[in-house]
Amino acid sequence: MTTETGLTADEIALYDRQIRLWGMATQLRLRSTKILVINLGAAGTECVKNLVLGGLNSIEILDDSVVKEEDFTAQFFLPNDDSTVGKLKLPLVVDKIKELNTKVDLSINTSSLDDALADPDYFKKFDFIVATEITKDQIIQLNEITRNFNIPLHVSGMHGFFGYILVDLIEHTSYNEYNQSSVPRKVNVDLSRNKKMTASKPDPQKKVDVVTIKDVFSPLKSIFRSQEIPKYSSRRELQKCTVLPIIFALFDIPRPSNPSDVVDVHQLRKRVEETYKTLNLPMTSFSEEYIHKLSQQAYTEFSPTAAILGGTLAQEVIRFLSKNYSPMNNVVILDAMKAVMPIYSM
């Protein structure tokens, strides 16, 4: 039986802890949201797990890959059975994912992403898209489609201890609670180049100020040639911008077909130097050590890194739906070796 809240008594009992965390309104939005997750690698696996447990209305997974031996190291939905190597992945994992939460409508699509991109109307039925481990050309083509249909998009990928999240929510308005200020807050003030505080209203009952923040996002194709970072970053911040240009350089280097192969370090170094020039970054952050590390770890899956990336992706979807937090805008770089996750506005 559906209660006055719009959720059944069983759903309220099942989601009690998270309703207490993010509220009934957010849970209701989750209950009516349709999400597409592209590719069920390690990060995609973690993201899907968290979204299913969160109680999304429906999730579709698009992935035409077959099981490879290296998948067993970080993709925990796969059966522990070597005989599955070479078989389509999604039919082998769908039942195990459904066991996490039978109230979520879970579907799979074993078509290729390129085939889906050839039919843009396929994406119209989704309210949010999360894509993992896709190429630069696919990112740009997918983002053109999501912008055309006004669909929020997150793109993520992993390189061993390192990873990234690219965000395009197009435009987003959030309502954030801050401690009350004795001095009236100024409105229509830029908090950063793409965040503006548009309103502030006191809530006497909660003793907080409800601050409205509007985020405007850049198309993802523009970030690969953006020269915005030096305009707002301090000298100290620029000296720490080491991983981003290497990850961006990897977008322009073909992925090795053999997972045991490493990216040619000389080729990567040359491409990194070119990326510094393209992004107008000072060479003070250039690191031979990190170039060697990422050449060895490129495209490899590491469970702890996947847990961070996948958890962040799912969390940001929920935060987007809650409208209570200003989102990440727009490039997030994970350096698990230093336990840092800076956000760059590009």
Side-chain angles (χ1 to χ4, degrees):
M1 182 179 68
T2 302
T3 67
E4 292 180 359
T5 65
L7 297 175
T8 67
D10 287 345
E11 287 174 318
I12 292 175
L14 178 62
Y15 302 130
D16 177 69
R17 292 178 64 184
Q18 57 201 50
I19 289 173
R20 294 173 187 270
L21 177 64
W22 54 56
M24 184 65 73
T26 299
Q27 193 64 47
L28 284 170
R29 293 190 191 106
L30 286 169
R31 191 175 183 267
S32 61
T33 299
K34 298 179 179 180
I35 289 187
L36 173 66
V37 176
I38 300 172
N39 292 335
L40 198 69
T45 293
E46 289 282 356
C47 179
V48 166
K49 177 199 72 176
N50 287 292
L51 291 175
V52 169
L53 291 173
L56 265 293
N57 172 47
S58 73
I59 300 173
E60 180 158 312
I61 307 170
L62 175 69
D63 190 339
D64 68 335
S65 68
V66 298
V67 178
K68 301 180 290 293
E69 289 184 1
E70 60 269 22
D71 292 342
F72 295 108
T73 61
Q75 300 178 31
F76 47 76
F77 287 129
L78 284 170
N80 188 19
D81 183 355
D82 290 342
S83 68
T84 60
V85 173
K87 296 181 179 179
L88 281 172
K89 181 189 299 180
L90 292 189
L92 296 170
V93 301
V94 62
D95 289 338
K96 193 167 184 179
I97 300 173
K98 287 180 177 179
E99 289 175 2
L100 294 176
N101 188 349
T102 57
K103 295 186 180 300
V104 176
D105 180 11
L106 181 70
S107 59
I108 60 173
N109 185 337
T110 56
S111 301
S112 72
L113 174 57
D114 287 334
D115 285 345
L117 292 171
D119 179 21
D121 284 348
Y122 165 72
F123 299 95
K124 288 172 63 174
K125 61 184 176 181
F126 301 108
D127 303 306
F128 203 110
I129 296 175
V130 176
T132 65
E133 308 296 348
I134 65 176
T135 68
K136 183 177 178 179
D137 287 342
Q138 289 172 331
I139 291 171
I140 293 170
Q141 190 174 353
L142 176 62
N143 190 220
E144 288 176 352
I145 294 171
T146 57
R147 282 195 150 247
N148 186 44
F149 294 137
N150 199 34
I151 303 171
L153 171 67
H154 282 169
V155 177
S156 182
M158 188 190 326
H159 301 289
F161 281 97
F162 307 93
Y164 61 88
I165 300 174
L166 313 179
V167 183
D168 182 19
L169 307 181
I170 306 172
E171 287 190 3
H172 179 65
T173 300
S174 58
Y175 305 92
N176 308 261
E177 294 184 355
Y178 296 118
N179 292 332
Q180 276 190 331
S181 173
S182 57
V183 180
R185 299 178 188 270
K186 294 181 180 180
V187 296
N188 293 319
V189 172
D190 290 332
L191 303 177
S192 66
R193 79 174 189 90
N194 47 22
K195 287 181 184 285
K196 176 177 284 189
M197 182 169 68
T198 58
S200 178
K201 183 179 180 181
D203 184 335
Q205 186 175 358
K206 292 185 177 181
K207 297 182 179 180
V208 297
D209 289 336
V210 179
V211 176
T212 304
I213 297 177
K214 181 178 180 180
D215 279 82
V216 178
F217 291 78
S218 304
L220 295 187
K221 67 178 180 181
S222 69
I223 68 172
F224 296 107
R225 304 193 66 83
S226 170
Q227 297 190 345
E228 294 294 331
I229 293 178
K231 295 179 183 178
Y232 66 81
S233 299
S234 66
R235 181 179 299 178
R236 184 177 181 181
E237 289 171 331
L238 288 173
Q239 288 176 339
K240 294 180 178 180
C241 187
T242 299
V243 179
L244 182 146
I246 306 176
I247 285 180
F248 273 39
L250 283 168
F251 277 113
D252 294 319
I253 295 177
R255 183 175 188 146
S257 56
N258 188 337
S260 62
D261 292 343
V262 299
V263 171
D264 182 84
V265 69
H266 302 293
Q267 182 187 13
L268 179 59
R269 182 190 299 110
K270 180 180 179 181
R271 189 69 194 97
V272 170
E273 291 172 350
E274 293 170 355
T275 303
Y276 269 88
K277 293 178 183 178
T278 300
L279 302 181
N280 197 30
L281 294 172
M283 295 294 289
T284 52
S285 67
F286 185 88
S287 170
E288 283 284 351
E289 177 188 1
Y290 269 76
I291 289 174
H292 277 272
K293 288 182 184 298
L294 274 139
S295 71
Q296 295 168 346
Q297 299 181 30
Y299 306 107
T300 59
E301 295 186 334
F302 185 48
S303 289
T305 309
I308 296 170
L309 286 173
T312 303
L313 286 167
Q315 172 185 279
E316 285 299 303
V317 171
I318 294 169
R319 289 174 66 155
F320 168 83
L321 293 172
S322 76
K323 300 184 181 298
N324 292 332
Y325 303 92
S326 183
M328 303 183 301
N329 191 345
N330 57 348
V331 177
V332 185
I333 299 294
L334 170 62
D335 178 353
M337 298 192 70
K338 290 187 176 180
V340 294
M341 204 169 180
I343 301 174
Y344 299 95
S345 174
M346 299 180 68

